[in-house]
Amino acid sequence: MRKFFTSESVTEGHPDKLCDQISDAIVDEILKIDKNARCAVECCAAYDRLLIMGEVTTFAKVDYEKIARQTIEKVGYIHGAFAFDKCKIDVAIHSQSPDIAMGVDRLGAGDQGMMFGYACRETEELMPLPIALAHKLAIKLAEVRKSGTLPYLRPDGKTQVTVEYDGKTPKRVDTIVVSAQHNTKVTQDKLKEDIIKYVIKEIVPPTLLDGQTKYFINPTGRFEIGGPEGDSGLTGRKIIVDTYGGRCAHGGGAFSGKDATKVDRSAAYMARYICKNLVASGLCDEVELQVAYAIGVAEPVSVFVDTFGTGKLTDGEIADIIVKEFDLRPYSIIETLGLLAPVYSATAAYGHFGKSGLSWERVNRAEDLKKYLK
């Protein structure tokens, strides 16, 4: 059956992603000094203002404003009359509510909620192809800007990829959309030619492109004003970009700016770890996992599995395996994945999943799980 699925990504210069990166840079700087710190840091960026707000409980002394300006400069907002690294910064940080802290201190979940994980065989990293390609295009867009290959580009940008499937098998890329911020000098024809040559053709395998593939490069026209000057940014507003591109459900919370006692983040990472190992083991070819928690309670209140008919065992039997083989208590998750370390800045742009070097992307349990196939 012929069908189409679309996912999008954004560059590190997108205003929402800029806020995510500042929030996670702050978390990492605090964790370098105090691994047991409690953090819930959010940012709001608009025109020439940045607000850093939230809850932090720690003995660490960090310079929030300095971290923010370093992140802004790293992303590249240093051009022209409007250079966001010169923005006014307000800090509104207070300590964590004692009511929340009490439940977490007893080793329970830091909040109620449901979290999802997912994995499939469409790509080497066991991610859906549309979001994998969208991220790679966004990364390449930033790469050709920073390397000077396309020096007229600016930090803001978005990508979108539509893949045509035959049943569950990806067959071709049907549509690619790239919106790239640029300076005042480049023409639209030059921009389109360069993006296709230096970004799209460098990333998308030629076997997935054909004469019917549609390319929309800056389809609304010129894109000179971008970042916080053009649109406000907010931490946690790109949750589908952060996860699986809409292929599976998403829980109630965002990730960036939070320490690992927040199950919104840590349990979502654990769910991905479990799903990836299940697929790598051969127990299924595709799987979505939901776990849910009550605040202050360590054990999840539910574990739900859907293998979309690809499981070698029933979904209920795989759920039982998960409960038996993986400790889903928050502090066990933290220990299993090493989440007290300052690892979060690497997740703040181009997705939290499908990247090498992250503990929840390991498939070190796959061989052991194969025993259930016998």
Side-chain angles (χ1 to χ4, degrees):
M1 181 178 65
R2 187 166 169 261
K3 58 184 180 180
F4 299 83
F5 193 86
T6 301
S7 295
E8 71 160 351
S9 183
V10 297
T11 66
E12 61 209 60
H14 187 282
D16 292 334
K17 275 289 139 201
L18 180 63
C19 290
D20 284 345
Q21 289 167 94
I22 294 169
S23 295
D24 275 337
I26 289 170
V27 173
D28 276 354
E29 284 301 311
I30 291 171
L31 292 177
K32 288 176 184 177
I33 303 167
D34 178 10
K35 68 178 184 179
N36 294 310
R38 304 281 167 74
C39 303
V41 180
E42 298 181 8
C43 297
C44 179
Y47 197 64
D48 62 350
R49 298 291 180 95
L50 176 70
L51 172 61
I52 303 172
M53 55 191 169
E55 304 169 347
V56 174
T57 301
T58 181
F59 62 77
K61 304 296 182 184
V62 299
D63 188 334
Y64 297 112
E65 182 173 335
K66 180 180 178 181
I67 296 167
R69 293 196 191 281
Q70 288 174 337
T71 304
I72 293 165
E73 182 177 355
K74 181 180 178 182
V75 169
Y77 279 115
I78 56 176
H79 294 282
F82 183 89
F84 196 65
D85 62 329
K86 304 298 190 297
C87 68
K88 175 177 172 54
I89 298 179
D90 295 315
V91 179
I93 297 287
H94 59 90
S95 60
Q96 185 181 58
S97 160
D99 294 337
I100 296 174
M102 180 173 59
V104 177
D105 291 341
R106 291 199 297 256
L107 308 185
D111 201 354
Q112 71 175 48
M114 68 287 188
M115 300 84 211
F116 288 87
Y118 180 84
C120 66
R121 293 195 183 279
E122 288 182 20
T123 63
E124 182 179 336
E125 55 268 42
L126 303 186
M127 288 286 286
L129 181 61
I131 188 65
L133 288 176
H135 282 324
K136 290 175 182 177
L137 288 170
I139 291 168
K140 191 66 175 180
L141 201 57
E143 181 184 302
V144 296
R145 168 177 63 88
K146 292 179 175 180
S147 69
T149 302
L150 303 182
Y152 54 78
L153 291 181
R154 295 296 178 256
D156 202 353
K158 302 179 78 172
T159 62
Q160 184 172 287
V161 177
T162 301
V163 173
E164 181 182 344
Y165 288 80
D166 182 3
K168 290 182 174 291
T169 304
K171 290 297 184 181
R172 57 183 289 274
V173 171
D174 182 75
T175 307
I176 298 174
V177 184
V178 177
S179 295
Q181 186 190 9
H182 55 82
N183 67 16
T184 59
K185 298 178 181 179
V186 68
T187 67
Q188 291 300 98
D189 288 342
K190 173 66 171 171
L191 177 73
K192 182 173 182 178
E193 178 186 341
D194 285 349
I195 293 296
I196 291 175
K197 179 179 179 180
Y198 294 105
V199 178
I200 294 173
K201 294 296 180 69
E202 289 291 320
I203 292 300
V204 183
T207 53
L208 293 175
L209 301 173
D210 58 32
Q212 302 304 309
T213 301
K214 298 178 284 292
Y215 304 95
F216 295 101
I217 313 300
N218 284 22
T220 62
R222 299 190 68 78
F223 182 9
E224 296 175 18
I225 299 173
E229 182 183 12
D231 193 8
S232 62
L234 187 66
T235 299
R237 197 157 56 180
K238 283 289 175 284
I239 56 177
I240 301 303
V241 171
D242 285 344
T243 53
Y244 307 98
R247 177 59 67 84
C248 75
H250 192 287
F255 302 154
S256 288
K258 299 176 181 178
D259 72 88
T261 65
K262 280 69 172 178
V263 284
D264 280 337
R265 184 169 215 165
S266 55
Y269 290 175
M270 188 66 174
R272 164 63 176 173
Y273 174 65
I274 293 169
C275 288
K276 192 170 183 182
N277 278 274
L278 288 171
V279 172
S281 74
L283 280 167
C284 52
D285 294 326
E286 180 183 13
V287 61
E288 178 183 277
L289 167 64
Q290 184 204 60
V291 292
Y293 291 87
I295 187 168
V297 179
E299 296 285 353
V301 297
S302 69
V303 174
F304 173 82
V305 170
D306 188 350
T307 62
F308 307 95
T310 70
K312 303 302 186 293
L313 304 173
T314 69
D315 291 349
E317 288 171 327
I318 291 177
D320 290 340
I321 290 169
I322 290 170
V323 172
K324 179 180 178 181
E325 294 288 340
F326 297 93
D327 192 337
L328 291 166
R329 294 173 299 173
Y331 269 81
S332 296
I333 291 173
I334 290 169
E335 183 176 351
T336 297
L337 300 181
L339 297 181
L340 297 182
V343 297
Y344 299 108
S345 291
T347 69
Y350 312 116
H352 292 242
F353 307 117
K355 295 176 175 176
S356 61
L358 300 174
S359 61
W360 50 93
E361 292 297 317
R362 296 172 298 164
V363 289
N364 59 316
R365 295 296 309 279
E367 283 301 316
D368 182 49
L369 290 174
K370 288 180 180 179
K371 65 191 177 188
Y372 292 102
L373 293 170
K374 299 176 182 177

PDB file of all heavy atoms in Angstrom, residues 52-81:
ATOM      1  N   ILE A  52      15.787  34.036  31.336  1.00  0.00           N
ATOM      2  CA  ILE A  52      16.173  32.722  31.864  1.00  0.00           C
ATOM      3  C   ILE A  52      15.389  32.536  33.155  1.00  0.00           C
ATOM      4  O   ILE A  52      15.535  33.320  34.094  1.00  0.00           O
ATOM      5  CB  ILE A  52      17.684  32.644  32.134  1.00  0.00           C
ATOM      6  CG1 ILE A  52      18.473  32.961  30.861  1.00  0.00           C
ATOM      7  CG2 ILE A  52      18.061  31.263  32.662  1.00  0.00           C
ATOM      8  CD1 ILE A  52      19.971  33.094  31.094  1.00  0.00           C
ATOM      9  N   MET A  53      14.575  31.500  33.204  1.00  0.00           N
ATOM     10  CA  MET A  53      13.656  31.349  34.334  1.00  0.00           C
ATOM     11  C   MET A  53      13.586  29.896  34.765  1.00  0.00           C
ATOM     12  O   MET A  53      14.003  28.999  34.033  1.00  0.00           O
ATOM     13  CB  MET A  53      12.266  31.842  33.932  1.00  0.00           C
ATOM     14  CG  MET A  53      11.721  31.165  32.688  1.00  0.00           C
ATOM     15  SD  MET A  53      10.248  31.966  32.040  1.00  0.00           S
ATOM     16  CE  MET A  53      10.106  31.138  30.445  1.00  0.00           C
ATOM     17  N   GLY A  54      13.058  29.672  35.968  1.00  0.00           N
ATOM     18  CA  GLY A  54      12.853  28.303  36.414  1.00  0.00           C
ATOM     19  C   GLY A  54      13.322  28.051  37.828  1.00  0.00           C
ATOM     20  O   GLY A  54      13.444  28.974  38.641  1.00  0.00           O
ATOM     21  N   GLU A  55      13.596  26.768  38.082  1.00  0.00           N
ATOM     22  CA  GLU A  55      13.954  26.309  39.428  1.00  0.00           C
ATOM     23  C   GLU A  55      15.305  25.614  39.391  1.00  0.00           C
ATOM     24  O   GLU A  55      15.524  24.721  38.579  1.00  0.00           O
ATOM     25  CB  GLU A  55      12.906  25.309  39.939  1.00  0.00           C
ATOM     26  CG  GLU A  55      11.476  25.834  39.932  1.00  0.00           C
ATOM     27  CD  GLU A  55      10.465  24.729  40.187  1.00  0.00           C
ATOM     28  OE1 GLU A  55      10.830  23.541  40.127  1.00  0.00           O
ATOM     29  OE2 GLU A  55       9.301  25.065  40.442  1.00  0.00           O
ATOM     30  N   VAL A  56      16.194  26.017  40.273  1.00  0.00           N
ATOM     31  CA  VAL A  56      17.491  25.366  40.417  1.00  0.00           C
ATOM     32  C   VAL A  56      17.812  25.259  41.897  1.00  0.00           C
ATOM     33  O   VAL A  56      17.772  26.260  42.622  1.00  0.00           O
ATOM     34  CB  VAL A  56      18.613  26.148  39.701  1.00  0.00           C
ATOM     35  CG1 VAL A  56      19.968  25.518  40.000  1.00  0.00           C
ATOM     36  CG2 VAL A  56      18.373  26.191  38.199  1.00  0.00           C
ATOM     37  N   THR A  57      18.123  24.047  42.334  1.00  0.00           N
ATOM     38  CA  THR A  57      18.571  23.840  43.713  1.00  0.00           C
ATOM     39  C   THR A  57      19.955  23.210  43.655  1.00  0.00           C
ATOM     40  O   THR A  57      20.114  22.069  43.217  1.00  0.00           O
ATOM     41  CB  THR A  57      17.604  22.923  44.480  1.00  0.00           C
ATOM     42  OG1 THR A  57      16.300  23.515  44.476  1.00  0.00           O
ATOM     43  CG2 THR A  57      18.070  22.732  45.922  1.00  0.00           C
ATOM     44  N   THR A  58      20.974  23.970  44.071  1.00  0.00           N
ATOM     45  CA  THR A  58      22.354  23.514  43.967  1.00  0.00           C
ATOM     46  C   THR A  58      23.271  24.402  44.798  1.00  0.00           C
ATOM     47  O   THR A  58      22.935  25.560  45.085  1.00  0.00           O
ATOM     48  CB  THR A  58      22.825  23.560  42.497  1.00  0.00           C
ATOM     49  OG1 THR A  58      24.160  23.082  42.415  1.00  0.00           O
ATOM     50  CG2 THR A  58      22.765  24.966  41.929  1.00  0.00           C
ATOM     51  N   PHE A  59      24.433  23.855  45.148  1.00  0.00           N
ATOM     52  CA  PHE A  59      25.459  24.686  45.782  1.00  0.00           C
ATOM     53  C   PHE A  59      26.387  25.288  44.728  1.00  0.00           C
ATOM     54  O   PHE A  59      27.234  26.118  45.041  1.00  0.00           O
ATOM     55  CB  PHE A  59      26.269  23.871  46.798  1.00  0.00           C
ATOM     56  CG  PHE A  59      27.027  22.707  46.210  1.00  0.00           C
ATOM     57  CD1 PHE A  59      28.208  22.884  45.503  1.00  0.00           C
ATOM     58  CD2 PHE A  59      26.549  21.414  46.370  1.00  0.00           C
ATOM     59  CE1 PHE A  59      28.899  21.812  44.975  1.00  0.00           C
ATOM     60  CE2 PHE A  59      27.240  20.327  45.836  1.00  0.00           C
ATOM     61  CZ  PHE A  59      28.417  20.536  45.138  1.00  0.00           C
ATOM     62  N   ALA A  60      26.232  24.868  43.470  1.00  0.00           N
ATOM     63  CA  ALA A  60      27.095  25.367  42.394  1.00  0.00           C
ATOM     64  C   ALA A  60      26.787  26.829  42.090  1.00  0.00           C
ATOM     65  O   ALA A  60      25.628  27.249  42.099  1.00  0.00           O
ATOM     66  CB  ALA A  60      26.903  24.533  41.135  1.00  0.00           C
ATOM     67  N   LYS A  61      27.839  27.581  41.841  1.00  0.00           N
ATOM     68  CA  LYS A  61      27.701  28.980  41.454  1.00  0.00           C
ATOM     69  C   LYS A  61      28.095  29.103  39.980  1.00  0.00           C
ATOM     70  O   LYS A  61      29.251  28.887  39.628  1.00  0.00           O
ATOM     71  CB  LYS A  61      28.599  29.873  42.303  1.00  0.00           C
ATOM     72  CG  LYS A  61      28.363  29.751  43.804  1.00  0.00           C
ATOM     73  CD  LYS A  61      26.966  30.205  44.199  1.00  0.00           C
ATOM     74  CE  LYS A  61      26.767  30.120  45.710  1.00  0.00           C
ATOM     75  NZ  LYS A  61      25.376  30.477  46.100  1.00  0.00           N
ATOM     76  N   VAL A  62      27.136  29.383  39.140  1.00  0.00           N
ATOM     77  CA  VAL A  62      27.419  29.539  37.720  1.00  0.00           C
ATOM     78  C   VAL A  62      26.878  30.882  37.253  1.00  0.00           C
ATOM     79  O   VAL A  62      25.941  31.438  37.843  1.00  0.00           O
ATOM     80  CB  VAL A  62      26.803  28.398  36.879  1.00  0.00           C
ATOM     81  CG1 VAL A  62      27.362  27.052  37.295  1.00  0.00           C
ATOM     82  CG2 VAL A  62      25.288  28.401  36.971  1.00  0.00           C
ATOM     83  N   ASP A  63      27.465  31.382  36.193  1.00  0.00           N
ATOM     84  CA  ASP A  63      27.086  32.672  35.620  1.00  0.00           C
ATOM     85  C   ASP A  63      26.104  32.414  34.485  1.00  0.00           C
ATOM     86  O   ASP A  63      26.499  32.095  33.364  1.00  0.00           O
ATOM     87  CB  ASP A  63      28.334  33.397  35.119  1.00  0.00           C
ATOM     88  CG  ASP A  63      28.054  34.821  34.690  1.00  0.00           C
ATOM     89  OD1 ASP A  63      26.904  35.109  34.304  1.00  0.00           O
ATOM     90  OD2 ASP A  63      28.999  35.643  34.721  1.00  0.00           O
ATOM     91  N   TYR A  64      24.819  32.529  34.777  1.00  0.00           N
ATOM     92  CA  TYR A  64      23.784  32.232  33.789  1.00  0.00           C
ATOM     93  C   TYR A  64      23.936  33.100  32.540  1.00  0.00           C
ATOM     94  O   TYR A  64      23.814  32.613  31.409  1.00  0.00           O
ATOM     95  CB  TYR A  64      22.390  32.437  34.388  1.00  0.00           C
ATOM     96  CG  TYR A  64      22.059  31.519  35.537  1.00  0.00           C
ATOM     97  CD1 TYR A  64      21.909  32.023  36.827  1.00  0.00           C
ATOM     98  CD2 TYR A  64      21.875  30.160  35.336  1.00  0.00           C
ATOM     99  CE1 TYR A  64      21.596  31.189  37.887  1.00  0.00           C
ATOM    100  CE2 TYR A  64      21.566  29.314  36.383  1.00  0.00           C
ATOM    101  CZ  TYR A  64      21.433  29.830  37.661  1.00  0.00           C
ATOM    102  OH  TYR A  64      21.128  29.006  38.707  1.00  0.00           O
ATOM    103  N   GLU A  65      24.179  34.379  32.748  1.00  0.00           N
ATOM    104  CA  GLU A  65      24.284  35.289  31.617  1.00  0.00           C
ATOM    105  C   GLU A  65      25.480  34.940  30.733  1.00  0.00           C
ATOM    106  O   GLU A  65      25.370  34.935  29.504  1.00  0.00           O
ATOM    107  CB  GLU A  65      24.397  36.733  32.104  1.00  0.00           C
ATOM    108  CG  GLU A  65      24.467  37.732  30.975  1.00  0.00           C
ATOM    109  CD  GLU A  65      24.404  39.176  31.451  1.00  0.00           C
ATOM    110  OE1 GLU A  65      23.850  39.414  32.553  1.00  0.00           O
ATOM    111  OE2 GLU A  65      24.891  40.064  30.726  1.00  0.00           O
ATOM    112  N   LYS A  66      26.597  34.619  31.339  1.00  0.00           N
ATOM    113  CA  LYS A  66      27.790  34.262  30.565  1.00  0.00           C
ATOM    114  C   LYS A  66      27.546  33.004  29.736  1.00  0.00           C
ATOM    115  O   LYS A  66      27.920  32.951  28.550  1.00  0.00           O
ATOM    116  CB  LYS A  66      28.977  34.050  31.502  1.00  0.00           C
ATOM    117  CG  LYS A  66      30.267  33.684  30.792  1.00  0.00           C
ATOM    118  CD  LYS A  66      31.398  33.485  31.787  1.00  0.00           C
ATOM    119  CE  LYS A  66      32.692  33.073  31.068  1.00  0.00           C
ATOM    120  NZ  LYS A  66      33.800  32.857  32.053  1.00  0.00           N
ATOM    121  N   ILE A  67      26.931  31.999  30.333  1.00  0.00           N
ATOM    122  CA  ILE A  67      26.636  30.759  29.612  1.00  0.00           C
ATOM    123  C   ILE A  67      25.726  31.044  28.423  1.00  0.00           C
ATOM    124  O   ILE A  67      25.928  30.534  27.320  1.00  0.00           O
ATOM    125  CB  ILE A  67      25.991  29.726  30.557  1.00  0.00           C
ATOM    126  CG1 ILE A  67      26.970  29.315  31.656  1.00  0.00           C
ATOM    127  CG2 ILE A  67      25.508  28.503  29.775  1.00  0.00           C
ATOM    128  CD1 ILE A  67      26.311  28.553  32.792  1.00  0.00           C
ATOM    129  N   ALA A  68      24.715  31.893  28.637  1.00  0.00           N
ATOM    130  CA  ALA A  68      23.782  32.225  27.564  1.00  0.00           C
ATOM    131  C   ALA A  68      24.493  32.928  26.413  1.00  0.00           C
ATOM    132  O   ALA A  68      24.306  32.576  25.240  1.00  0.00           O
ATOM    133  CB  ALA A  68      22.654  33.099  28.100  1.00  0.00           C
ATOM    134  N   ARG A  69      25.331  33.895  26.730  1.00  0.00           N
ATOM    135  CA  ARG A  69      26.011  34.644  25.664  1.00  0.00           C
ATOM    136  C   ARG A  69      27.006  33.752  24.909  1.00  0.00           C
ATOM    137  O   ARG A  69      27.155  33.874  23.685  1.00  0.00           O
ATOM    138  CB  ARG A  69      26.709  35.864  26.240  1.00  0.00           C
ATOM    139  CG  ARG A  69      25.744  36.914  26.791  1.00  0.00           C
ATOM    140  CD  ARG A  69      26.385  38.266  27.005  1.00  0.00           C
ATOM    141  NE  ARG A  69      25.508  39.145  27.754  1.00  0.00           N
ATOM    142  CZ  ARG A  69      24.468  39.806  27.226  1.00  0.00           C
ATOM    143  NH1 ARG A  69      24.179  39.664  25.938  1.00  0.00           N
ATOM    144  NH2 ARG A  69      23.721  40.582  27.988  1.00  0.00           N
ATOM    145  N   GLN A  70      27.668  32.860  25.617  1.00  0.00           N
ATOM    146  CA  GLN A  70      28.578  31.934  24.941  1.00  0.00           C
ATOM    147  C   GLN A  70      27.819  31.029  23.978  1.00  0.00           C
ATOM    148  O   GLN A  70      28.291  30.742  22.867  1.00  0.00           O
ATOM    149  CB  GLN A  70      29.329  31.097  25.975  1.00  0.00           C
ATOM    150  CG  GLN A  70      30.386  31.863  26.755  1.00  0.00           C
ATOM    151  CD  GLN A  70      31.007  31.033  27.866  1.00  0.00           C
ATOM    152  OE1 GLN A  70      30.415  30.059  28.353  1.00  0.00           O
ATOM    153  NE2 GLN A  70      32.195  31.411  28.291  1.00  0.00           N
ATOM    154  N   THR A  71      26.649  30.577  24.387  1.00  0.00           N
ATOM    155  CA  THR A  71      25.836  29.713  23.533  1.00  0.00           C
ATOM    156  C   THR A  71      25.340  30.471  22.306  1.00  0.00           C
ATOM    157  O   THR A  71      25.387  29.957  21.178  1.00  0.00           O
ATOM    158  CB  THR A  71      24.643  29.147  24.328  1.00  0.00           C
ATOM    159  OG1 THR A  71      25.124  28.459  25.493  1.00  0.00           O
ATOM    160  CG2 THR A  71      23.827  28.187  23.478  1.00  0.00           C
ATOM    161  N   ILE A  72      24.867  31.683  22.516  1.00  0.00           N
ATOM    162  CA  ILE A  72      24.384  32.514  21.406  1.00  0.00           C
ATOM    163  C   ILE A  72      25.502  32.755  20.391  1.00  0.00           C
ATOM    164  O   ILE A  72      25.300  32.654  19.181  1.00  0.00           O
ATOM    165  CB  ILE A  72      23.839  33.853  21.952  1.00  0.00           C
ATOM    166  CG1 ILE A  72      22.573  33.609  22.790  1.00  0.00           C
ATOM    167  CG2 ILE A  72      23.541  34.816  20.805  1.00  0.00           C
ATOM    168  CD1 ILE A  72      22.179  34.792  23.658  1.00  0.00           C
ATOM    169  N   GLU A  73      26.696  33.058  20.887  1.00  0.00           N
ATOM    170  CA  GLU A  73      27.840  33.292  20.006  1.00  0.00           C
ATOM    171  C   GLU A  73      28.223  32.020  19.251  1.00  0.00           C
ATOM    172  O   GLU A  73      28.516  32.057  18.049  1.00  0.00           O
ATOM    173  CB  GLU A  73      29.034  33.793  20.818  1.00  0.00           C
ATOM    174  CG  GLU A  73      30.259  34.111  19.968  1.00  0.00           C
ATOM    175  CD  GLU A  73      31.410  34.662  20.783  1.00  0.00           C
ATOM    176  OE1 GLU A  73      31.239  34.888  21.996  1.00  0.00           O
ATOM    177  OE2 GLU A  73      32.494  34.853  20.203  1.00  0.00           O
ATOM    178  N   LYS A  74      28.196  30.877  19.936  1.00  0.00           N
ATOM    179  CA  LYS A  74      28.534  29.603  19.307  1.00  0.00           C
ATOM    180  C   LYS A  74      27.569  29.282  18.171  1.00  0.00           C
ATOM    181  O   LYS A  74      27.972  28.785  17.111  1.00  0.00           O
ATOM    182  CB  LYS A  74      28.524  28.494  20.350  1.00  0.00           C
ATOM    183  CG  LYS A  74      28.884  27.125  19.808  1.00  0.00           C
ATOM    184  CD  LYS A  74      28.859  26.083  20.927  1.00  0.00           C
ATOM    185  CE  LYS A  74      29.166  24.690  20.386  1.00  0.00           C
ATOM    186  NZ  LYS A  74      29.094  23.664  21.463  1.00  0.00           N
ATOM    187  N   VAL A  75      26.292  29.562  18.379  1.00  0.00           N
ATOM    188  CA  VAL A  75      25.288  29.313  17.345  1.00  0.00           C
ATOM    189  C   VAL A  75      25.507  30.232  16.150  1.00  0.00           C
ATOM    190  O   VAL A  75      25.290  29.843  15.004  1.00  0.00           O
ATOM    191  CB  VAL A  75      23.870  29.474  17.926  1.00  0.00           C
ATOM    192  CG1 VAL A  75      22.822  29.497  16.824  1.00  0.00           C
ATOM    193  CG2 VAL A  75      23.570  28.343  18.907  1.00  0.00           C
ATOM    194  N   GLY A  76      25.954  31.477  16.410  1.00  0.00           N
ATOM    195  CA  GLY A  76      26.308  32.348  15.289  1.00  0.00           C
ATOM    196  C   GLY A  76      25.511  33.620  15.163  1.00  0.00           C
ATOM    197  O   GLY A  76      25.572  34.273  14.112  1.00  0.00           O
ATOM    198  N   TYR A  77      24.801  34.020  16.209  1.00  0.00           N
ATOM    199  CA  TYR A  77      24.030  35.262  16.130  1.00  0.00           C
ATOM    200  C   TYR A  77      24.898  36.464  16.490  1.00  0.00           C
ATOM    201  O   TYR A  77      24.720  37.106  17.521  1.00  0.00           O
ATOM    202  CB  TYR A  77      22.784  35.174  17.027  1.00  0.00           C
ATOM    203  CG  TYR A  77      21.674  34.424  16.362  1.00  0.00           C
ATOM    204  CD1 TYR A  77      21.217  33.223  16.867  1.00  0.00           C
ATOM    205  CD2 TYR A  77      21.088  34.917  15.192  1.00  0.00           C
ATOM    206  CE1 TYR A  77      20.201  32.515  16.234  1.00  0.00           C
ATOM    207  CE2 TYR A  77      20.079  34.218  14.553  1.00  0.00           C
ATOM    208  CZ  TYR A  77      19.639  33.022  15.078  1.00  0.00           C
ATOM    209  OH  TYR A  77      18.638  32.332  14.431  1.00  0.00           O
ATOM    210  N   ILE A  78      25.829  36.751  15.601  1.00  0.00           N
ATOM    211  CA  ILE A  78      26.808  37.816  15.832  1.00  0.00           C
ATOM    212  C   ILE A  78      26.884  38.759  14.630  1.00  0.00           C
ATOM    213  O   ILE A  78      27.791  39.586  14.544  1.00  0.00           O
ATOM    214  CB  ILE A  78      28.204  37.224  16.114  1.00  0.00           C
ATOM    215  CG1 ILE A  78      28.631  36.294  14.971  1.00  0.00           C
ATOM    216  CG2 ILE A  78      28.227  36.484  17.446  1.00  0.00           C
ATOM    217  CD1 ILE A  78      30.034  35.732  15.107  1.00  0.00           C
ATOM    218  N   HIS A  79      25.917  38.683  13.712  1.00  0.00           N
ATOM    219  CA  HIS A  79      25.989  39.428  12.464  1.00  0.00           C
ATOM    220  C   HIS A  79      25.102  40.671  12.491  1.00  0.00           C
ATOM    221  O   HIS A  79      24.020  40.673  13.077  1.00  0.00           O
ATOM    222  CB  HIS A  79      25.561  38.553  11.277  1.00  0.00           C
ATOM    223  CG  HIS A  79      26.491  37.424  11.008  1.00  0.00           C
ATOM    224  ND1 HIS A  79      27.694  37.581  10.368  1.00  0.00           N
ATOM    225  CD2 HIS A  79      26.399  36.097  11.302  1.00  0.00           C
ATOM    226  CE1 HIS A  79      28.302  36.414  10.268  1.00  0.00           C
ATOM    227  NE2 HIS A  79      27.530  35.497  10.824  1.00  0.00           N
ATOM    228  N   GLY A  80      25.543  41.688  11.822  1.00  0.00           N
ATOM    229  CA  GLY A  80      24.718  42.836  11.490  1.00  0.00           C
ATOM    230  C   GLY A  80      24.354  43.719  12.664  1.00  0.00           C
ATOM    231  O   GLY A  80      24.851  43.578  13.785  1.00  0.00           O
ATOM    232  N   ALA A  81      23.463  44.680  12.372  1.00  0.00           N
ATOM    233  CA  ALA A  81      23.035  45.623  13.400  1.00  0.00           C
ATOM    234  C   ALA A  81      22.304  44.910  14.530  1.00  0.00           C
ATOM    235  O   ALA A  81      22.386  45.309  15.694  1.00  0.00           O
ATOM    236  CB  ALA A  81      22.131  46.688  12.775  1.00  0.00           C
TER     237      ALA A  81
END
